[in-house]
Amino acid sequence: FATYYFNLPQNVIEEVAFVSSNQSELMIEKIGELAYYNHESNCLYVMLSGTLQKIDLETNETTILLEHLQEGQYVSSEDGQMLAYQTDETASEVVVMNFAEDTEQRVSADEGAKILPLGFVLGDFVYGMAKEENIGKTGSGETVQGMHYLEIRDKSNTIVKTYEIPGTYIIDVSVKGNMITLERALKNRDTYNVIAEDYITNNVE
């Protein structure tokens, strides 16, 4: 995986970083979702196979910031500027990293619940809360953990939106651009019966 700098006035391209990996080509192609270059600090942040590296392009020094993250334990923004990850297997806390501003925020789960990182909408962090007793199966036999509510926090760690409908659970979420699609269900004992999707849209843009 290589990073290049294009100097417009001089009309030249130079390689500024190269990260070697023994991963497959398919894995390398996915890296674009998890790479960010901070021009001011001249540092490159790269996530590969659950390992987050910070590469100082002035000194060529590489620092491992995170290791052993599993799929579903973390999410990143489309531009790679933001990353949110669960700090441990209990999912009691999520850390939100802002590579552009070199800052961190912490969001804690409610007592008796897990916090699930879901994505970012224009830099705002989207997450859900789920209780252990709300693990169940859909009609097709898929195991899901129903979230009883969803929240969105902005970069100042302020809650800007809460989505909660008593008796309705969120069993899946997809984030694309400025729209969040919620797959919802009603719970009957350990079975989730899917109902109509709902949507949250950021209209600021």
Side-chain angles (χ1 to χ4, degrees), residues 1 18 29 37-38 49 51 61 66 70 77 90-91 100 109 111 125 129 135 140 145-146 152 161 166 172 204:
F1 170 74
F18 179 80
E29 288 177 355
Y37 171 62
N38 185 318
S49 298
T51 298
E61 180 181 359
L66 298 169
Q70 303 298 317
S77 59
T90 67
E111 186 175 352
F125 174 46
M129 291 289 178
I135 294 178
S140 62
Q145 185 162 30
I152 303 174
K161 174 72 175 179
D172 197 14
V204 174

Side-chain angles (χ1 to χ4, degrees), residues 3 13 36 40 61 65-67 78-79 105 108 114 127 149 154 156 160-161 188 191 194 197 205:
T3 300
I13 297 175
Y36 182 79
E40 292 185 2
E61 180 181 359
L65 301 180
L66 298 169
E67 289 184 287
E78 289 185 356
D79 60 4
Q105 301 173 11
S108 298
K114 293 183 176 182
Y127 60 93
Y149 75 87
D154 63 16
S156 65
V160 295
K161 174 72 175 179
N188 182 10
T191 301
V194 177
E197 294 178 340
E205 188 177 48

Side-chain angles (χ1 to χ4, degrees), residues 55-120:
I55 305 169
D56 188 322
L57 300 180
E58 292 285 347
T59 63
N60 289 324
E61 180 181 359
T62 298
T63 304
I64 304 298
L65 301 180
L66 298 169
E67 289 184 287
H68 311 304
L69 294 180
Q70 303 298 317
E71 186 175 353
Q73 191 180 353
Y74 64 93
V75 292
S76 64
S77 59
E78 289 185 356
D79 60 4
Q81 178 179 322
M82 311 282 291
L83 175 74
Y85 68 95
Q86 295 169 336
T87 54
D88 56 39
E89 294 181 355
T90 67
S92 61
E93 183 183 58
V94 163
V95 173
V96 183
M97 304 177 73
N98 186 327
F99 301 133
E101 301 176 4
D102 196 22
T103 59
E104 290 186 356
Q105 301 173 11
R106 293 180 179 268
V107 185
S108 298
D110 298 336
E111 186 175 352
K114 293 183 176 182
I115 180 169
L116 308 179
L118 302 174
F120 290 88

Side-chain angles (χ1 to χ4, degrees), residues 112-114 130-135 145:
K114 293 183 176 182
K131 296 180 179 179
E132 194 70 32
E133 62 263 29
N134 288 330
I135 294 178
Q145 185 162 30

